[in-house]
Amino acid sequence: MYQQITIVGNVGRDPELRYTPQGIAVCDFSVAVNRRMGSGEDAREETTWFRVTVWRNQAEVVSKYLKKGRQVLVVGDVQASAYLDKSGQPAATLEVTAQTVRFIGSRDDSEGGGGGGERYEEDFQPRGKRGGGRAPENSEDIPF
């Protein structure tokens, strides 16, 4: 069996980088995906939150350049986990282990702007099965 999910949304919190005892980089952040349902007066917006984990070199790049509010595309494996919240009510979380993280939108998206900037896409894909993509060698290689 194989499963894969592609999400496009906005980063909900700045990425948090940490290292395993073996020295492997791991970065976590959240993504809010909004969906508009209905039309006219019945229209409402629904937000689904995803917890995203990125590994190795790609984790270091993401933690350095991705910020809260920035639009991002994530491709990876998804897992749903059920739990009881603080009040004892059933709840669930959607966790994505990212294989690809692509920064999309304009440079101004993270500042709440968005209109006039030049659009770019940059892909940081891991090499091999899982693991590190190539970090930019110098500041001229950075897409923004």
Side-chain angles (χ1 to χ4, degrees):
M1 289 183 15
Y2 181 75
Q3 65 172 347
Q4 187 175 57
I5 188 170
T6 301
I7 59 173
V8 175
N10 292 77
V11 176
R13 63 179 165 85
D14 286 343
E16 296 175 15
L17 180 67
R18 66 185 190 285
Y19 292 88
T20 67
Q22 296 78 22
I24 298 170
V26 182
C27 183
D28 296 307
F29 61 97
S30 61
V31 175
V33 176
N34 297 315
R35 183 171 86 171
R36 189 169 184 83
M37 300 172 61
S39 61
E41 290 182 20
D42 296 328
R44 63 184 172 87
E45 197 166 282
E46 182 178 283
T47 301
T48 303
W49 286 93
F50 294 85
R51 292 166 44 157
V52 180
T53 302
V54 186
W55 291 84
R56 297 181 173 75
N57 292 347
Q58 187 173 208
E60 293 174 332
V61 172
V62 164
S63 73
K64 188 172 183 179
Y65 299 112
L66 198 60
K67 301 292 181 215
K68 179 179 178 178
R70 167 91 24 105
Q71 192 176 32
V72 66
L73 177 142
V74 177
V75 178
D77 303 321
V78 66
Q79 181 175 11
S81 301
Y83 65 97
L84 296 177
D85 67 13
K86 292 178 183 176
S87 64
Q89 297 298 312
T93 183
L94 296 168
E95 299 177 20
V96 178
T97 300
Q99 296 165 345
T100 301
V101 175
R102 182 175 288 176
F103 304 168
I104 57 177
S106 71
R107 289 182 243 179
D108 295 332
D109 282 350
S110 62
E111 280 95 43
E118 180 179 325
R119 297 194 61 84
Y120 67 91
E121 292 185 5
E122 186 61 36
D123 197 3
F124 296 102
Q125 292 197 9
R127 294 183 184 177
K129 280 198 256 181
R130 287 219 196 262
R134 183 182 67 79
E137 305 262 330
N138 61 47
S139 61
E140 293 177 10
D141 292 338
I142 300 171
F144 43 90

